[in-house]
Amino acid sequence: MSKLVTIYGGSGFVGRYIARRMAKAGWRVRVAVRHPNEALHVKPYGSPGQVEPVFCNIRDDASVRAVMMGANAVVNCVGILGEVGKNRFDAVQAEGAGRIARIAAEQKITSMVHISAIGADAGSDSLYQRSKAEGEALVQSSMPNAVILRPSVVFGTEDQFFNRFAGMARFSPFLPMVGANTRFQPVYVDDVAAAAELALTTGVAPGIYELGGPDVATFRELMVQMLAEIRRNRVLLNVPFFAAKIMGASFDILQKISFGLFTNGVLTHDQVRNLARDNVVSDGAKGFAELGLKPTPMSAVLPDYLYVHRVGGQYKAIHESAERLRKG
C-alpha cells in the first residue's frame, strides 16, 4: 500500500500544490481542512480515493490526532494574515503548529514539513512574526528532524499578492503602497511545493530553509512589473508608515466594534509592522541551493495568469500583434 501524508491546510494556496505533487509521487493524501466541502478541488489531483479532504480543527487535540492516524508524514501549511474570531496568531501559528508536531511525535511519525515565513522572529514587535517563530520552536522541540520552509512572498495563479493589486488597478487610477521601498524576493508557489516534496521523499537535512526566488525587488518595482504585465498605467502612491499605522489601527478597531460584521481584509496594524521590514533571504541561510533546486523567475510565470487583468483579457495579445503588423 502506498504511503500516506496528512497535509494540514492542504486546500490552501501552498497546500494544494504540495498535495498535487505528493499525489503524483504516488502517495495517498489526506487534506485536513476546516471546511471539506470547500476543498473538493483537490480530489482530481490523484486517482479516485487517492486525495481526500477531511475535517480538522487544529485548535483541538482530538481533531488533529484523528486525521493523522496511520500517516507516514505530515505537513503543516496552516497560517493566517490577520486575526478573526478564535483564529488568533498564537492559537493558529504557534499553538496549532506545536500541537501537530507533538501529536506526530506521539504517533512515531518521523517526517514533517512545516511552512513558516521569512521574517519569523521571536523578538519582533509583529504578532505575526513572533507567532511564526514560536511555532517553529515548538515544532523543533517535538520534531527535531522536521524541515521548516520559510518562503518570501509567494506568487502563482491563485496568489493574493499580484492578483490583489492587479484587481485594484482594473478599477482605480491609483495604487496605494505601504512600504514602497521594502524589498521582497518573490518565490513561485510550485517551487515551495517542490521543496516540501523533496523533504518528504528524500534525505533532506532537517532545519530551516529560507526560500526566495531569483529576483529581489522593492514593492514599487514589483508593482511596476505587474502593471506592465496587465498593460495598465496607474499612479503609484506611497502611503507613509505613520498614516498606514493609523489606517490599520482604525480598521482593526472597526472589526472589533462591529462584532464580526466587518472583517479587516484591507490593512491591519500588524501588517504595517511587517511591511516596514525587508522580506528577503538572510545572508548565510540555507535555501534552494542546498535542496538542489533552481527557483523560477517571475517573468516565466506572471504572464500566464495576470493576463486576465488586461483590457481585453486573453485577446489583448492578439490586438497587440495586429497593431504591430499595421505599423509594420
Side-chain angles (χ1 to χ4, degrees), residues 197-210:
E197 179 190 7
L198 273 177
L200 295 172
T201 59
T202 64
V204 172
I208 297 174
Y209 294 80
E210 295 196 354

Side-chain angles (χ1 to χ4, degrees), residues 48 60 107 132 140 155 158 167 183 193 199 203 267 284 314 318:
D60 178 72
Q107 299 198 18
K132 283 291 188 180
Q140 290 183 313
F155 69 92
E158 306 87 358
R183 297 185 304 148
L267 180 69
Q314 61 182 317
I318 298 176

Side-chain angles (χ1 to χ4, degrees), residues 23-245:
K24 287 185 177 180
W27 286 54
R28 290 179 294 131
V29 182
R30 189 179 287 158
V31 175
V33 293
R34 287 181 299 166
H35 304 290
N37 289 338
E38 297 177 7
L40 298 180
H41 57 273
V42 303
K43 292 175 71 69
Y45 292 166
S47 303
Q50 185 182 0
V51 183
E52 287 295 333
V54 295
F55 170 77
C56 178
N57 178 0
I58 67 164
R59 299 194 307 270
D60 178 72
D61 274 31
S63 183
V64 170
R65 184 176 290 106
V67 299
M68 200 186 293
M69 293 294 293
N72 302 97
V74 295
V75 181
N76 178 34
C77 299
V78 181
I80 57 175
L81 294 176
E83 297 182 320
V84 180
K86 294 181 180 180
N87 289 323
R88 319 302 293 178
F89 287 130
D90 56 351
V92 174
Q93 298 183 160
E95 296 168 12
R99 179 174 292 109
I100 292 170
R102 171 172 52 80
I103 294 174
E106 290 174 1
Q107 299 198 18
K108 309 301 181 183
I109 295 173
T110 57
S111 182
M112 178 176 180
V113 171
H114 173 63
I115 307 298
S116 184
I118 283 180
D121 180 4
S124 173
D125 60 351
S126 163
L127 296 175
Y128 173 87
Q129 293 179 342
R130 286 209 307 270
S131 66
K132 283 291 188 180
E134 185 178 349
E136 291 181 358
L138 290 172
V139 167
Q140 290 183 313
S141 175
S142 296
M143 295 285 288
N145 290 328
V147 171
I148 296 175
L149 303 179
R150 290 181 176 177
S152 181
V153 60
V154 184
F155 69 92
T157 305
E158 306 87 358
D159 74 48
Q160 293 299 311
F161 183 71
F162 287 113
N163 276 312
R164 179 182 183 183
F165 287 98
M168 291 171 58
R170 296 175 65 175
F171 303 104
S172 172
F174 306 101
L175 274 185
M177 300 175 299
V178 178
N181 295 318
T182 299
R183 297 185 304 148
F184 293 87
Q185 197 169 348
V187 58
Y188 181 41
V189 62
D190 198 44
D191 290 342
V192 178
E197 179 190 7
L198 273 177
L200 295 172
T201 59
T202 64
V204 172
I208 297 174
Y209 294 80
E210 295 196 354
L211 306 182
D215 308 302
V216 176
T218 65
F219 195 175
R220 178 181 293 275
E221 290 168 341
L222 292 176
M223 292 300 97
V224 169
Q225 184 171 351
M226 178 274 293
L227 289 171
E229 290 293 349
I230 66 174
R231 312 293 196 267
R232 296 179 188 269
N233 294 316
R234 295 292 183 265
V235 178
L236 298 176
L237 297 178
N238 182 30
V239 180
F241 281 111
F242 77 88
K245 289 178 181 178

